[in-house]
Amino acid sequence: MFRMPRILVLTASLALIPALAAGAEEGAVVTGAAETVAAPLKTGGLFLGIFSQDPGAQQARAERRAAAKAEREAEREVRRADRQRAKASGHAQSTSTSDAARAEVKAAVAEAVANKPKGRIWCVPFARAVTGLDIRGNAKTWWQQAKGRYARGQEPAVGAVMSFAASRAMPKGHVAVVSKVLSDREILVDQANWERNQITLDTLVVDVSDKGDWSRVKVASVGGTLGRVNPVNGFIYN
């Protein structure tokens, strides 16, 4: 039996494509060299789908993508607005709590000042009277004494006791009461005997530690200048 070479068959098939495309609109019948082929193709059929795209369909897809993008953006805006409201609410609540704590500290300080003993004034009795922490002994021992009795940490909070460690300049240590938190690195404290035999209020203390953990601070003097670097154990909370 005679067989047509494959290259000729392929050539004949490719030659049919223009004829099939031309007769697609009317369902034409195309006769090839090897056999008769029926081509009932309609607009948008196989060959037309390959060689052309409907502009209307493209426009519809573009509109759907634009609508989906707009919807996603609207959802993101809603989430952003929710986060901002939550943040504002939390800040307002934190500020209100801090103000209430400060008012309580100031009331205790006023009472301690009114009832201060005659003679020498020390930091330990003052801090104990203002905060209610039941710790006695030299200030340098407060941090260890507070272990297991009171919460301790490295974050300042209004009403907490800042426990200074012993140093060459302060062999007995020092304690002060946080009266306001200004920032991550600045606070105000009320204290006794930082200035010899005096009670000083709202004194600026600045964290100068490398890690920002309040382990090393500078305290403002009466003139407002920052003095030496002082070691700090942390904060004791009641």
Side-chain angles (χ1 to χ4, degrees):
M1 179 183 294
F2 172 75
R3 293 185 178 180
M4 185 179 293
R6 291 184 178 180
I7 186 64
L8 295 178
V9 173
L10 178 59
T11 302
S13 299
L14 292 175
L16 289 175
I17 292 176
L20 289 172
E25 291 293 338
E26 299 177 2
V29 176
V30 181
T31 303
E35 57 183 332
T36 301
V37 180
L41 299 178
K42 298 180 180 180
T43 301
L46 176 61
F47 289 102
L48 295 181
I50 293 175
F51 295 111
S52 66
Q53 292 185 356
D54 184 1
Q58 289 181 330
Q59 179 65 24
R61 285 194 295 272
E63 291 176 353
R64 287 195 297 271
R65 286 195 295 268
K69 182 178 179 181
E71 184 176 355
R72 290 193 298 270
E73 183 60 30
E75 291 175 353
R76 283 194 291 267
E77 286 295 334
V78 170
R79 289 195 293 270
R80 278 195 290 267
D82 288 342
R83 287 195 297 269
Q84 289 175 352
R85 283 194 295 270
K87 184 178 181 180
S89 176
H91 177 72
Q93 183 177 8
S94 176
T95 301
S96 177
T97 301
S98 179
D99 289 345
R102 177 174 169 81
E104 185 175 347
V105 167
K106 287 303 181 181
V109 167
E111 184 175 352
V113 170
N115 297 306
K116 66 180 180 180
K118 295 180 179 180
R120 186 68 182 271
I121 297 175
W122 300 97
C123 64
V124 167
F126 177 81
R128 185 168 55 240
V130 173
T131 65
L133 290 176
D134 188 17
I135 301 177
R136 301 177 184 276
N138 289 333
K140 66 180 182 180
T141 69
W142 274 45
W143 184 254
Q144 188 61 32
Q145 286 192 65
K147 184 178 181 180
R149 298 175 60 191
Y150 300 98
R152 304 184 304 175
Q154 305 306 128
E155 293 291 331
V158 176
V161 168
M162 173 178 267
S163 171
F164 288 76
S167 65
R168 180 177 297 180
M170 296 186 301
K172 296 182 180 181
H174 181 67
V175 286
V177 181
V178 179
S179 59
K180 189 171 186 177
V181 178
L182 300 177
S183 69
D184 292 340
R185 292 270 189 163
E186 296 179 322
I187 61 174
L188 300 180
V189 299
D190 291 345
Q191 58 190 344
N193 205 41
W194 184 262
E195 301 291 338
R196 183 177 174 82
N197 205 33
Q198 295 183 35
I199 294 175
T200 51
L201 306 180
D202 289 336
T203 303
L204 176 65
V205 181
V206 179
D207 174 23
V208 294
S209 63
D210 294 335
K211 297 181 179 179
D213 59 2
W214 290 89
S215 58
R216 292 162 59 83
V217 303
K218 287 187 175 183
V219 181
S221 65
V222 175
T225 59
L226 296 175
R228 64 180 181 268
V229 175
N230 302 277
V232 173
N233 295 313
F235 298 90
I236 305 172
Y237 315 104
N238 189 4

